[in-house]
Amino acid sequence: MTLEQLQTQFEAFKAKKLSLDMSRGKPSAAQLDLSNELLDTVTSNDYLSSTGAETRNYGGLDGLPATKQLFKDFLEVSSVEEVVIGGNASLTIMHDIISRGITHGMCDSYQPWGKEKIKFICPVPGYDRHFSICEHFGIDMIPVACTEDGPDMDVVEKLVANDSSIKGIWIVPKYSNPTGLSCSDEVVNRLSMMNTAAEDFRIFWDNAYAVHHLSEDQDQLKNILTTCKEFGNDNRPFILCSTSKITFAGAGVAAVGGSTDNMDWYRKHLFISTIGPDKLNQERHNRFFKNIEGLYEHMKKHAALLKPRFVKTLSILEEELGGTNLATWTKPKGGYFISFNVPEGCAKRVVALSAEAGVKLTGAGATYPYKKDPKNSNIRLAPSCPTIDEIEQAMRIVCLATKIAALEMKASVAV
Ligand code: PMP
């Protein structure tokens, strides 16, 4: 089709004055409804924990015992001492750990991170909020490309072996944001065993999508804490998770796992910043799930809502762009996102054209540190919120925008 013909199609879409959104990785209203019973589990005359703890009062710094047990199983750590329950957001825990690293140092630091200019390795494309934390604290970001198995470990190993100011790496190990892909056993091994010039190097193992499978065909990952321990690097990983995309994104429960030394360090800092967490919400979650099996069962209901949305997104991509050599995209088995790569130099134009026709996408560049995608090629697609019909319309527009941007680019190169 010629550029003019595509533009005619585009004008027809514009005339519909649509308002569609594929930018946000948040649960749909129907997904939130799946957990409404959670709100009725604790009532005005039934609120004590299973061990009789007063959930309304101060105390219980690192969580109710039953909540710690639930998250011990969720985080796949070996004891409840290796778990600390937080507030509603795992992002807050990540922020706080780094903030305290900067002011006080980690449990095995010889000086606070803030005494030197430190750096983090940022696998790309990645999660913008990780990059925002680094930017906020003035931590230099080193982008490292991802393969289908996780970060390019040849590059990571060289970097960390030679530079003691590299203190951390962000990893979304399972159904990553935005690729939807998972780390292979080899990547888990190499991350666990690699020599780091910094003795207080940390992996921020953000397992935000640990149980977010789309079907029975699931990625199973090697246990990061056990593997790090095998190589004597017990303090290397902080494992993060939350129920933001399991119960309520704004009122879930977050947790962190890691070695007892790491968790004791975190408890020590937490003691200064709070007299105790929201145990009422923890108790709601204990009662709602009962145990980890209950949580896994609950996730099947999410999958039933999410899978058709992924299937629709992928089928339109295939129909419109399959075999054109214009774009590539991931086909995740779980998580919330599809990573979509358009021709180099075109991502911003695709996002702008889509917006003109009423489709909001995550900003081009958002998946890279400092919002700078050097190839201007990656776009994150988030199919969880729109309806199937909306996805159909939105994706037709995104694909049309891709074809137009590619032809415009070709024309400009020819001139
Ligand atoms: N990590 C990743 C990789 C995410 O995609 C998200 C949600 N977009 C979060 C963390 C945020 O989690 P929480 O709500 O627990 O802060």
Side-chain angles (χ1 to χ4, degrees):
M1 234 184 255
T2 65
L3 185 55
E4 288 70 32
Q5 285 167 325
L6 293 172
Q7 275 160 345
T8 309
Q9 281 185 7
F10 186 71
E11 290 307 318
F13 272 121
K14 263 170 75 176
K16 291 188 182 176
K17 299 209 182 306
L18 298 167
S19 174
L20 306 166
D21 193 340
M22 289 197 66
S23 70
R24 301 289 306 279
K26 59 179 189 179
S28 64
Q31 285 181 270
L32 297 174
D33 287 347
L34 296 174
S35 301
N36 273 354
E37 276 173 33
L38 176 102
L39 297 171
D40 305 324
T41 54
V42 170
T43 64
S44 60
N45 50 24
D46 180 14
Y47 43 73
L48 298 184
S49 81
S50 56
T51 54
E54 173 54 90
T55 56
R56 299 169 307 169
N57 218 330
Y58 279 142
L61 183 71
D62 64 353
L64 291 171
T67 317
K68 287 172 70 180
Q69 181 63 40
L70 178 69
F71 278 89
K72 170 197 155 289
D73 296 337
F74 187 125
L75 293 160
E76 295 176 353
V77 294
S78 50
S79 72
V80 288
E81 281 71 48
E82 293 184 333
V83 179
V84 173
I85 309 297
N88 73 310
S90 61
L91 199 68
T92 308
I93 302 178
M94 299 179 231
H95 170 279
D96 288 355
I97 290 173
I98 291 174
S99 164
R100 285 152 184 159
I102 288 170
T103 54
H104 291 76
M106 294 291 147
C107 65
D108 46 11
S109 296
Y110 75 98
Q111 64 175 11
W113 282 359
K115 293 270 183 198
E116 59 183 319
K117 183 78 181 157
I118 64 162
K119 305 177 189 126
F120 264 48
I121 295 179
C122 300
V124 288
Y127 178 37
D128 57 345
R129 294 301 199 115
H130 291 161
F131 306 153
S132 302
I133 291 179
C134 284
E135 206 169 341
H136 181 67
F137 287 114
I139 299 172
D140 285 347
M141 290 181 263
I142 309 173
V144 169
C146 282
T147 69
E148 295 222 327
D149 292 333
D152 183 334
M153 286 308 299
D154 289 343
V155 178
V156 171
E157 283 165 349
K158 269 200 203 95
L159 284 166
V160 297
N162 296 311
D163 186 346
S164 64
S165 68
I166 301 179
K167 297 293 188 187
I169 184 169
W170 293 108
I171 302 279
V172 184
K174 201 192 264 190
Y175 310 135
S176 155
N177 178 354
T179 67
L181 304 177
S182 303
C183 288
S184 66
D185 288 358
E186 191 197 333
V187 166
V188 175
N189 279 336
R190 290 174 75 175
L191 283 167
S192 304
M193 72 168 85
M194 66 191 182
N195 287 322
T196 61
E199 70 260 36
D200 51 356
F201 180 87
R202 291 294 184 273
I203 300 171
F204 288 82
W205 192 257
D206 180 0
N207 218 347
Y209 302 102
V211 292
H212 302 59
H213 317 283
L214 290 175
S215 72
E216 294 300 313
D217 180 15
Q218 308 178 350
D219 289 344
Q220 300 296 343
L221 274 73
K222 205 164 175 207
N223 186 305
I224 186 71
L225 183 57
T226 318
T227 315
C228 281
K229 283 180 184 174
E230 271 168 34
F231 294 103
N233 295 316
D234 305 28
N235 293 335
R236 189 168 283 181
F238 279 113
I239 311 170
L240 290 313
C241 74
S242 77
T243 68
S244 289
K245 287 166 186 175
I246 298 175
T247 55
F248 300 135
V253 174
V256 56
S259 70
T260 314
D261 281 352
N262 267 342
M263 292 304 102
D264 285 347
W265 170 89
Y266 189 56
R267 280 186 272 266
K268 197 178 76 187
H269 284 284
L270 211 52
F271 178 76
I272 304 300
S273 65
T274 180
I275 312 174
D278 179 352
K279 294 181 297 302
L280 274 166
N281 200 30
Q282 291 179 17
E283 183 57 19
R284 280 187 206 108
H285 282 74
N286 296 344
R287 294 183 187 196
F288 185 61
F289 292 125
K290 297 188 177 62
N291 52 39
I292 194 70
E293 299 304 327
L295 190 147
Y296 294 153
E297 276 306 307
H298 181 71
M299 291 315 292
K300 292 184 185 163
K301 300 180 191 162
H302 282 286
L305 292 167
L306 286 171
K307 176 129 196 249
R309 289 170 163 79
F310 274 77
V311 168
K312 178 55 84 179
T313 310
L314 292 170
S315 77
I316 306 282
L317 284 169
E318 190 56 47
E319 218 179 283
E320 296 282 351
L321 297 171
T324 62
N325 279 332
L326 285 182
T328 57
W329 54 89
T330 53
K331 295 177 182 123
K333 294 183 192 166
Y336 266 64
F337 304 103
I338 292 166
S339 182
F340 177 52
N341 289 305
V342 297
E344 265 190 62
C346 288
K348 283 200 172 122
R349 181 69 178 141
V350 171
V351 172
L353 281 169
S354 300
E356 247 184 76
V359 180
K360 192 171 171 210
L361 296 176
T362 310
T367 50
Y368 282 75
Y370 313 106
K371 300 196 173 16
K372 283 191 190 126
D373 171 1
K375 292 188 179 161
N376 185 16
S377 151
N378 185 250
I379 297 172
R380 187 184 77 167
L381 301 174
S384 64
C385 263
T387 63
I388 306 277
D389 283 349
E390 286 171 342
I391 290 175
E392 161 110 39
Q393 298 197 64
M395 287 311 299
R396 297 265 178 226
I397 290 169
V398 171
C399 292
L400 181 57
T402 305
K403 292 175 196 171
I404 292 175
L407 277 187
E408 283 176 349
M409 173 85 120
K410 219 164 148 194
S412 75
V413 171
V415 167

